[in-house]
Amino acid sequence: MIERLRRASYLLTALLALWLANAGAAAPGQIAAASIPTPADSAVMQTPPPLSATATPSPSGRVVKYSGQILDYGGGFVYFTTGDAFALDAAVKIDDAATGGPTKLTPQTRLYARASFDTGSGAVVELALSTKKLPDEASYDDVKKFAVALSTPFPNPDLVAGEGFNGKPVPVTFLVEVPAKTPFSDQIYLATDASGWSSTAVRMDRVDGLHYRVTRSFASGTRLLYRYTRGSWQSADVDQNGIAMKPRVLVVKNADYRVVRDIVYNWQDEDPFAPDNGSTLPTPFNPVPFNIPPHH
Amino acid sequence: MTDGATRCARAYRRFIAFIFCCWIANIAGARSANADEPPAPLASVAPAAATTTSPAPIASATAPAAANPANVPASPEPSPAAPTGRRLAAFRVDAKRIAFYSNRYVMEADGNVVVTLGDGTRITGKTFFYDLRLNRFVIAGGIRLRAANADLPGAAFAEYFDFDRAYFIPVLARPDRWTFASGDYAHPLFGREQPGDTFFLPDLSGERVFLYSKRALVDPHQSVRFTPASINLGPAFVPFPSYFLTYSPNEYFAQNALPGAFADGPLDFAGGEHALATAHVRYDSVDKIFPALEVHQVSDNHYIVVSANTLTRPLKTYNLEAYDRITPALQFQAFVQETAFGHGFSQPLSATAFASYRLTQALPHSFLQLSDVQYYQSLLARPSTFVIGPSGPVYYYEDPSHDFIPDHPNTVSLSWVGFRHPLGRLPLSFQLRSSFGASDNALTPLQSLGGVNYRKEYYKAVGANLTTKTLTLLADRSGRHRDLYLTGTLDKQRQWFSLPHHVDTTVASASLTKVFDPQVTLLASYSNINTGDFYGAQQSLAYPPAASYYNYYTGQSLQLSPAFRGFGTTRSFNQSLVFTPSQAVAALITMREDRDFPRPLPGTLQLVGDGLGFVNYGFSPYELDLDARFRFTRVLLIDVSRSYFFNFGGFERWAPQFSVQIEK
């Protein structure tokens, strides 16, 4: 009886083995598909394996590709300009980003690279190099969890303090009111520290009898010093109390559009008692008994 | 008078010499403080004190285990806005190649980069970028940080000078992110969040390199000295021993004391935080190509700018421009110009000078201004050579073209100018002013009347100005702002002279603005200027028929209208069309029509500024101005303008002007 049971079990085992063998032969494509890396879906990305698994790549891992610029390379890590260090797989493949084939480039500072991350291990399994910027594939948020850091991140009070600027271009319109005695044909300029304080850096357009304007784009967060001139520093703006102006300050905030309204009360070369008679008629009614030669 | 002029000349030269010595002293001081001398050795610099409770110091890279990530230090408060100290004062960069991109104000270094901070801290790496305006640098690739109390390998290091923070990616057993506060490399803040773009390397592809160098000495927010420097002059890079770049936020460095020129190429070659010396290669139609020199000496509240023009031509111009804000309510301004004719720098054959001084005192709701203008027709002592002229001996230097004129005309005035005040609830504002002064010339009379010469004149004046706000005549309710605006101003002034006579000036102007579209604006303005010189019973004596009038500036006598009796009128009608379709394109068309009495005199060819030009007396009856601006790149702007005079005097048609402007 026992002998029959043993034979039956052998037969059952043989049949099971035969079935398993047939089942494996019937679905070879399924096994091959499982071994091809494919971009991970978001559900998988949200539950990455622990970083401790970096040394043992998982055969079931998927691949995420991220493009960036190399800050440094070595010691089993590649560093990107985001400041992140990513572990390299022991068998990391270095190739050309354009062809996918071999490359003469070696990973180093300033080169651009497309890193392929095995989501199972979090390690970089392929590094495709280029001297030119590569198009984005996965976002930084998709890979930053693979970054290796010894310390536990904690907030930086320097960064949360004060207003944050996103650096987006903000069109800024400067609208300035000039003294009523400003000659109608005169040009008004904006002199800024960003233009080396050239007195004719940005020419403005007349809006009406008293106003000029110009629009320029600045990145938010820009701190601009500026003054108004009539084309030279000898004809720069003067405060209402007759004292030369200190530069005006503009801090460009995050906004879609900004209008800056200023008033110029006096010009430095303006003589309140010089009659506007064309300044050229050499007649005795010129209150200055001799003409002052212009020096600029 | 002769002795007085000579004394003035000596005093003036001493003043120039004093300013020059001050500048030299300043340059020397600046250099000794932060210039070419290498930073102090490491051993002589004490480490900065830790600002917070921190983990145990890391002595070197061989003891990374001492860093305990779990032991997160307390966060320090943000550092003061402008920390000082030698570490932040200046730093030096040495590399196989340093490139400076003037359009971006970014410095890039590659190959064996060594950055030496002011306290002796040395960071070596492969690649370096420094943003001059943001005052922060990043160095990356095989970093080694060596300070008095630390020796660490890393992948990248970034220094934010203005915040006194440094960010570091150490390469130890595993990478990490550290932050150094106040230069305390022994106590890093482990794991502290870093700014998102800390280690970004600027993309400079397509940017133009202004110069290449091997060493840069940076004085943050002030200047950089590149040694040596191969400067991009267009067709080729030209080697120079060094190049001094100033990018100070102090606008006084932009003050210009040089006369005008058709073209000017400046080269800063020496300087410091408060001084700058610039060599210029200039061109004008009279002197052609010639060198010039300009020196700035500035602080937050003062500047002195000295220039010497046409150094290689006999006729040289020396200018001095000075400003001092003595107190927030008191300022002094001076402009002194000496023109000398001489071969080389020997004793000149003739020398004249002009000086203008202005002292301004701010008052509550007004200000006072004391002005003094002096002419020195000849600064030199009277020569011994002379010829006998119609009115006696005429002295001259070497040849009669360098004649001796001892005149010293001058004017002093004290003016009071009130603030602009609103006129009740009306859309008007008014401004009052008054002045008194005196003019004097001991030799040549200022004026002659009835056979009497007047060498001294006093005057007093009052004036008032009434200005409207911008009034909306027709408001566009459609929301497209196609409004019609009106502005107007009325200015009235009377000036009494001791002669006696008085001058009345009345200026009335108005402008209409119609906005057709935010991009298209049409302006029309009209102005009427009436000037009357009242001599009473002596009117015909002062303004005889067919009188000629002498222009002191041009030295010309002009024949005005025989009907002119001292009462003139200028009427101008302007029409302008402003078209600004985008920030990159702008166009302006202006048509001007003038009706003047006495009628204007068409241009005569004269020496004006940097060359010969037509000088009109009065305005041409019709003038058309066209101007177009195109921005091709972020910094390149082309401005083309032309003026057309409609057969004024038969001399001119088009007066073209073409300029290429670099705008940042």
Side-chain angles (χ1 to χ4, degrees):
Chain A
M1 181 63 185
I2 292 172
E3 188 60 27
R4 279 202 298 272
L5 284 174
R6 184 181 294 134
R7 287 174 186 166
S9 68
Y10 287 158
L11 181 62
L12 191 62
T13 302
L15 288 173
L16 184 62
L18 184 62
W19 174 78
L20 284 174
N22 286 338
Q30 292 178 10
I31 294 174
S35 64
I36 294 174
T38 55
D41 59 39
S42 57
V44 173
M45 294 303 298
Q46 287 169 5
T47 55
L51 287 176
S52 58
T54 52
T56 55
S58 167
S60 63
R62 302 184 180 203
V63 168
V64 174
K65 295 183 177 180
Y66 171 71
S67 298
Q69 191 173 18
I70 296 176
L71 200 58
D72 203 0
Y73 181 90
F77 296 93
V78 59
Y79 303 81
F80 279 90
T81 52
T82 55
D84 297 302
F86 298 105
L88 297 168
D89 187 87
V92 62
K93 181 186 174 190
I94 309 293
D95 54 25
D96 186 273
T99 64
T103 179
K104 292 180 179 178
L105 299 174
T106 55
Q108 58 179 306
T109 307
R110 301 184 69 171
L111 281 183
Y112 294 93
R114 184 171 57 238
S116 299
F117 291 84
D118 181 338
T119 57
S121 65
V124 177
V125 294
E126 180 184 359
L127 204 58
L129 302 178
S130 172
T131 56
K132 296 178 180 177
K133 193 173 182 181
L134 297 169
D136 294 330
E137 295 194 18
S139 73
Y140 172 63
D141 288 339
D142 292 335
V143 299
K144 68 179 181 183
K145 54 181 162 283
F146 301 132
V148 180
L150 197 62
S151 307
T152 305
F154 74 99
N156 183 344
D158 292 347
L159 302 181
V160 296
E163 182 181 3
F165 297 105
N166 56 20
K168 75 168 187 175
V170 179
V172 179
T173 293
F174 296 87
L175 183 65
V176 61
E177 180 182 328
V178 299
K181 284 190 74 174
T182 304
F184 191 83
S185 56
D186 274 16
Q187 307 292 346
I188 306 297
Y189 298 88
L190 200 61
T192 72
D193 63 336
S195 54
W197 289 114
S198 164
S199 57
T200 56
V202 181
R203 188 169 143 187
M204 306 185 76
D205 296 313
R206 184 180 271 280
V207 178
D208 58 39
L210 294 174
H211 294 88
Y212 287 77
R213 79 171 164 214
V214 73
T215 301
R216 287 284 175 273
S217 289
F218 300 96
S220 78
T222 300
R223 182 177 182 272
L224 187 75
L225 303 177
Y226 66 99
R227 286 183 65 183
Y228 296 98
T229 78
R230 281 176 31 247
S232 75
W233 282 106
Q234 281 64 44
S235 58
D237 53 352
V238 173
D239 208 347
Q240 191 165 207
N241 62 6
I243 304 296
M245 292 284 297
K246 283 285 187 183
R248 302 167 200 253
V249 181
L250 169 70
V251 177
V252 182
K253 298 180 179 178
N254 301 329
D256 293 333
Y257 186 65
R258 173 117 189 244
V259 177
V260 178
R261 299 173 193 276
D262 292 316
I263 297 177
V264 173
Y265 292 99
N266 301 295
W267 299 111
Q268 187 174 311
D269 63 343
E270 187 180 9
D271 182 348
F273 291 93
D276 186 6
N277 59 0
S279 304
T280 51
L281 286 175
T283 62
F285 58 62
N286 188 338
V288 180
F290 36 81
N291 290 289
I292 299 172
H295 62 276
H296 292 292
Chain B
M1 187 65 206
T2 301
D3 293 341
T6 306
R7 280 198 300 274
C8 286
R10 284 179 187 156
Y12 175 73
R13 292 218 170 83
R14 282 174 189 157
F15 182 58
I16 294 285
F18 171 74
I19 296 301
F20 188 72
C21 290
C22 287
W23 172 74
I24 291 294
N26 189 285
I27 294 271
R31 283 190 168 183
S32 64
N34 55 24
D36 286 335
E37 295 175 6
L42 293 175
S44 66
V45 181
T51 56
T52 59
T53 305
S54 301
I58 297 175
S60 71
T62 56
N68 178 8
N71 185 12
V72 176
S75 301
E77 293 300 316
S79 64
T84 56
R86 294 192 59 182
R87 197 179 67 82
L88 305 176
F91 67 95
R92 195 178 73 200
V93 183
D94 296 273
K96 283 181 72 176
R97 192 201 67 162
I98 296 174
F100 173 61
Y101 298 83
S102 57
N103 290 347
R104 296 272 297 269
Y105 271 75
V106 169
M107 192 164 70
E108 171 194 43
D110 285 301
N112 298 332
V113 181
V114 180
V115 178
T116 310
L117 302 184
D119 63 353
T121 300
R122 289 164 68 93
I123 309 116
T124 56
K126 294 175 183 169
T127 293
F128 167 90
F129 288 94
Y130 174 57
D131 188 313
L132 281 69
R133 293 230 169 86
L134 296 179
N135 194 24
R136 49 181 263 199
F137 74 72
V138 57
I139 177 169
I143 294 298
R144 195 85 196 180
L145 168 66
R146 290 189 177 90
N149 49 7
D151 184 359
L152 300 163
F157 178 93
E159 176 73 57
Y160 285 45
F161 285 107
D162 290 351
F163 301 93
D164 205 2
R165 294 286 187 272
Y167 304 98
F168 185 50
I169 301 177
V171 175
L172 306 172
R174 295 181 71 187
D176 204 358
R177 287 189 181 218
W178 293 357
T179 298
F180 299 114
S182 305
D184 185 4
Y185 303 113
H187 300 86
L189 306 170
F190 302 105
R192 181 163 156 157
E193 187 186 358
Q194 297 176 346
D197 61 347
T198 301
F199 300 105
F200 276 17
L201 309 180
D203 182 8
L204 298 169
S205 54
E207 293 287 351
R208 173 180 171 274
V209 175
F210 176 67
L211 65 77
Y212 288 112
S213 182
K214 290 185 179 299
R215 169 177 288 188
L217 190 80
V218 182
D219 187 0
H221 289 305
Q222 298 295 335
S223 61
V224 184
R225 174 181 290 284
F226 296 96
T227 311
S230 291
I231 298 177
N232 186 350
L233 295 182
F237 282 84
V238 178
F240 288 86
S242 74
Y243 179 76
F244 186 83
L245 168 79
T246 180
Y247 60 104
S248 168
N250 190 331
E251 81 274 24
Y252 295 155
F253 277 113
Q255 292 289 339
N256 172 28
L258 283 166
F262 182 80
D264 184 293
L267 181 70
D268 301 334
F269 64 90
E273 184 180 353
H274 298 295
L276 177 66
T278 309
H280 292 256
V281 178
R282 319 190 87 206
Y283 173 84
D284 69 35
S285 57
V286 176
D287 294 306
K288 306 304 179 189
I289 297 175
F290 59 89
L293 180 69
E294 188 178 43
V295 173
H296 287 73
Q297 213 259 0
V298 309
S299 74
D300 288 344
N301 291 314
H302 95 280
Y303 64 80
I304 297 171
V305 189
V306 182
S307 73
N309 198 47
T310 56
L311 290 173
T312 55
R313 300 287 185 272
L315 188 62
K316 299 176 180 66
T317 303
Y318 304 96
N319 286 350
L320 182 147
E321 190 129 8
Y323 169 84
D324 191 6
R325 187 193 291 260
I326 301 164
T327 71
L330 180 66
Q331 73 176 18
F332 172 73
Q333 294 164 282
F335 173 73
V336 181
Q337 181 177 69
E338 179 188 331
T339 304
F341 187 96
H343 300 286
F345 291 96
S346 59
Q347 172 76 11
L349 298 179
S350 63
T352 62
F354 164 80
S356 169
Y357 309 99
R358 190 182 277 187
L359 188 68
T360 306
Q361 172 67 58
L363 301 173
H365 305 293
S366 65
F367 65 88
L368 277 175
Q369 200 163 70
L370 179 66
S371 301
D372 180 28
V373 179
Q374 308 270 343
Y375 286 88
Y376 305 93
Q377 300 286 31
S378 184
L379 291 170
L380 306 177
R382 192 179 74 179
S384 57
T385 50
F386 62 90
V387 294
I388 301 300
S391 57
V394 176
Y395 293 88
Y396 64 86
Y397 305 96
E398 194 170 81
D399 67 67
S401 67
H402 305 295
D403 50 350
F404 170 68
I405 305 172
D407 278 9
H408 178 205
N410 60 89
T411 292
V412 178
S413 65
L414 180 65
S415 303
W416 172 88
V417 180
F419 281 11
R420 184 167 294 282
H421 296 284
L423 194 64
R425 293 190 172 185
L426 297 172
L428 297 169
S429 61
F430 71 95
Q431 191 173 24
L432 302 175
R433 61 185 188 269
S434 66
S435 177
F436 68 89
S439 299
D440 169 71
N441 189 358
L443 296 178
T444 305
L446 297 170
Q447 192 172 346
S448 296
L449 188 68
V452 180
N453 290 331
Y454 293 89
R455 291 186 169 81
K456 191 183 294 285
E457 278 193 72
Y458 299 94
Y459 77 88
K460 56 189 175 183
V462 293
N465 179 279
L466 194 65
T467 301
T468 68
K469 293 182 178 177
T470 298
L471 305 171
T472 305
L473 285 188
L474 293 173
D476 179 14
R477 307 290 182 195
S478 69
R480 303 184 69 175
H481 304 291
R482 295 176 173 178
D483 303 321
L484 180 66
Y485 300 109
L486 169 71
T487 60
T489 182
L490 177 67
D491 193 280
K492 182 80 178 176
Q493 177 179 299
R494 173 165 287 190
Q495 199 164 11
W496 293 271
F497 291 86
S498 58
L499 189 46
H501 67 120
H502 70 267
V503 175
D504 281 357
T505 307
T506 306
V507 181
S509 63
S511 74
L512 278 173
T513 307
K514 173 67 178 171
V515 180
F516 290 95
D517 185 270
Q519 301 168 349
V520 182
T521 304
L522 183 66
L523 302 101
S525 76
Y526 177 80
S527 71
N528 187 315
I529 304 169
N530 285 313
T531 308
D533 191 3
F534 295 87
Y535 276 83
Q538 301 187 91
Q539 194 74 30
S540 298
L541 195 63
Y543 291 94
S548 64
Y549 299 99
Y550 181 72
N551 184 299
Y552 287 84
Y553 175 31
T554 62
Q556 284 192 323
S557 289
L558 295 167
Q559 197 77 26
L560 295 185
S561 168
F564 182 61
R565 293 291 183 274
F567 304 101
T569 298
T570 300
R571 289 167 292 177
S572 296
F573 181 56
N574 276 276
Q575 302 153 80
S576 294
L577 180 69
V578 182
F579 179 51
T580 50
S582 70
Q583 291 187 40
V585 180
L588 172 69
I589 304 172
T590 302
M591 179 71 201
R592 176 177 177 134
E593 180 183 354
D594 269 88
R595 289 284 178 270
D596 298 347
F597 178 82
R599 64 180 176 79
L601 299 176
T604 52
L605 200 61
Q606 295 170 13
L607 187 64
V608 180
D610 60 332
L612 295 174
F614 286 95
V615 175
N616 302 328
Y617 292 104
F619 298 104
S620 62
Y622 298 98
E623 183 180 330
L624 176 67
D625 298 309
L626 307 173
D627 182 87
R629 280 168 284 156
F630 308 93
R631 177 180 298 280
F632 289 94
T633 67
R634 193 174 64 86
V635 295
L636 181 64
L637 181 81
I638 304 293
D639 191 333
V640 182
S641 62
R642 301 198 83 179
S643 296
Y644 190 84
F645 299 94
F646 290 82
N647 196 27
F648 180 48
F651 287 112
E652 307 158 76
R653 294 291 185 275
W654 283 104
Q657 186 176 357
F658 179 83
S659 64
V660 178
Q661 187 176 330
I662 304 297
E663 182 180 310
K664 295 172 184 169

